[in-house]
Amino acid sequence: MSNEISKKQQIAEKTEIKIAESREGYRDIAKHSSVLFFSIADLANIDPMYQYSLTWFVNLYVNSIQDSNKSKILERRLRYLIDHFTYNLYCNVCRSLFEKDKLLFSFLLCSNLLLAKEEIDYGDLMFLLTGGVGLQNTTANPDPSWLQDRSWDEICRASEQPGLQGIKEAFIDNPEDFKSIYDSKEPYSARLPRPWAERLNALQKMILFRCLRPDKIIPAVSNYVTKKLGKMFVEPPPFDLSKSYLDSNCTVPLVFVLSPGADPMASLLKFANHKGMGGGRFQSISLGQGQGPIAAKMIHTAMKEGTWVCLQNCHLAVSWMSTLEKMCEDFSPDTCHPNFRLWLTSYPSPKFPVTILQNGVKMTNEPPTGLRLNLLQSYLSDPISDLEFFNSCPSKAPRKKFGPLGWNIPYGFNESDLRISIRQLQ
């Protein structure tokens, strides 16, 4: 009996050693994932609506384990998983960010990953973000004809960074060597004079571009992220309501974070009809004074019958948000019909329930930046994405009938203008 116990103990010890060795092989991806999580946790400092829970993060990670490419070679498998999860996280977070913050998020991801690998210095990163802090500069500007005093002050402060020591003296001795960067249309693509071209890393070079041409820092950051992570991390995927729906279930609310001029109701109603939830199976109410009890009744009914409810303008019903939060916490597969969905719309508000933000599917529907992404979103929207729309449009008068009207005068063109244009065509 004692010999049998001893053998089992030896087998258990060997098994434990093998498990420990296997676990050690996944340490790199564990570190990578922790960097990603704390990167998205920092987003709440930018906007109170940018909040994500650990449970949501883990579920996304599990999906990547299932969906990423497989390989029996551990190193290759980890590379597939890291690449898939990083981009999957980027896409899921980007759909809940305003356009102005998407590049910032890409740069945050990129910087934190490089910091974890010790490829960049934290002091250099903070200088890029803040421009440094110092007393009044007593060193004379070597060439005021093109070098602005503010730029010169920042260069002097930058020379105090360990990796940029001596840059101030280089400007004093030969300021004309750096003038080509100042004059360039794309200073981030210009080559620095020797020895700085070889001596500085990409982040330190960007510090110099920031000092000389702060107006080009946004394309410089985009170029930096493209080189480090890939072009897909500076081209957010277009708004896709169907994909957001697939990521939800009956216990997970879907939240539209609104911006001025954005109205997701037209897209939502069209999508509801497509899913067979139109007419009486879709109810909406604009929240405000006295609307809370009505909304609560609508939710309870929809939970039983498996219909959809949309609560608009949640930011106008701050006092009722705690009640809504409690209702959402009580959602469970046992109490909710599988087809039930709760849709919410709200402008950014610090009073919006944190648990709904962290666990819900958040979306923004702003016009994307850039001509290419704007056209892509327009062509993917209903009804333009349907070939029947073009075939059923009646023939119109030639464009030349209207002359130069609308072509030579720049004006804003938002989603409402697009809807009016569609109705005119129809």
Side-chain angles (χ1 to χ4, degrees), residues 22 89 92 111-112 126 174 181 205 213 232 327 333 341 350 359 374:
S22 299
L89 180 74
N92 275 269
S111 301
N112 286 342
M126 292 309 297
N174 298 294
I181 299 172
K205 290 176 181 178
R213 291 290 301 276
M232 58 187 179
M327 293 177 68
R341 290 296 185 278
N359 298 302
N374 265 286

Side-chain angles (χ1 to χ4, degrees), residues 269 272-273 276-284 298-299 301-303 305-310 340-341:
L269 289 169
N273 288 327
M277 287 292 176
R281 306 199 71 190
F282 181 91
Q283 291 183 297
S284 66
M298 290 169 61
I299 292 173
T301 303
M303 287 169 60
E305 298 178 356
T307 56
W308 290 5
V309 173
C310 179
F340 165 70
R341 290 296 185 278

Side-chain angles (χ1 to χ4, degrees), residues 27-267:
R27 185 172 294 277
D28 288 343
I29 193 170
K31 185 178 180 181
H32 180 90
S33 301
S34 68
V35 171
L36 296 182
F37 177 74
F38 287 109
S39 296
I40 64 172
D42 289 339
L43 293 175
N45 297 322
I46 301 173
D47 192 288
M49 305 298 275
Y50 299 164
Q51 303 209 39
Y52 311 85
S53 69
L54 180 59
T55 303
W56 174 87
F57 182 85
V58 170
N59 289 336
L60 200 64
Y61 183 73
V62 171
N63 290 339
S64 285
I65 291 176
Q66 297 169 350
D67 298 340
S68 57
N69 293 332
K70 308 295 190 294
S71 175
K72 292 182 179 180
I73 302 172
L74 181 60
E75 289 184 5
R76 189 176 298 173
R77 168 61 175 155
L78 293 182
R79 174 45 51 195
Y80 289 151
L81 186 53
I82 286 174
D83 291 344
H84 186 279
F85 180 56
T86 305
Y87 185 64
N88 193 24
L89 180 74
Y90 169 76
C91 292
N92 275 269
V93 172
C94 263
R95 72 181 174 199
S96 64
L97 302 181
F98 293 122
E99 287 297 320
K100 64 183 179 65
D101 297 323
K102 289 181 180 179
L103 180 59
L104 178 59
F105 172 57
S106 298
F107 182 64
L108 183 66
L109 270 185
C110 180
S111 301
N112 286 342
L113 289 172
L114 293 176
L115 282 171
K117 295 177 183 177
E118 298 183 354
E119 293 184 18
I120 60 174
D121 181 71
Y122 182 74
D124 290 340
L125 176 62
M126 292 309 297
F127 188 92
L128 178 70
L129 298 177
T130 64
V133 179
L135 301 175
Q136 185 174 359
N137 187 15
T138 57
T139 308
N141 187 334
D143 195 344
S145 64
W146 66 270
L147 184 58
Q148 300 176 17
D149 289 339
R150 179 180 175 182
S151 297
W152 173 240
D153 291 343
E154 289 190 356
I155 290 167
C156 291
R157 290 197 294 270
S159 67
E160 298 173 5
Q161 295 294 119
L164 288 159
Q165 289 180 356
I167 194 69
K168 177 174 73 172
E169 289 73 17
F171 268 85
I172 293 173
D173 295 339
N174 298 294
E176 64 279 358
D177 289 350
F178 297 89
K179 192 173 185 299
S180 60
I181 299 172
Y182 179 81
D183 292 334
S184 175
K185 291 182 179 180
E186 296 183 350
Y188 47 87
S189 300
R191 182 171 176 81
L192 290 171
R194 291 186 175 182
W196 304 104
E198 296 79 17
R199 178 176 161 185
L200 302 182
N201 62 33
L203 183 67
Q204 291 166 342
K205 290 176 181 178
M206 196 155 53
I207 289 175
L208 277 187
F209 302 146
R210 180 196 191 282
C211 295
L212 295 174
R213 291 290 301 276
D215 60 311
K216 292 293 185 179
I217 192 62
I218 291 178
V221 167
S222 179
N223 183 63
Y224 180 77
V225 174
T226 300
K227 288 182 177 179
K228 296 298 181 181
L229 293 183
K231 194 170 182 61
M232 58 187 179
F233 284 91
V234 295
E235 294 182 346
F239 176 73
D240 188 347
L241 189 54
S242 59
K243 183 156 191 329
S244 299
Y245 174 77
L246 290 175
D247 290 339
S248 71
N249 57 57
C250 59
T251 65
V252 177
L254 296 102
V255 185
F256 285 101
V257 185
L258 302 177
S259 59
D263 184 8
M265 285 307 295
S267 300

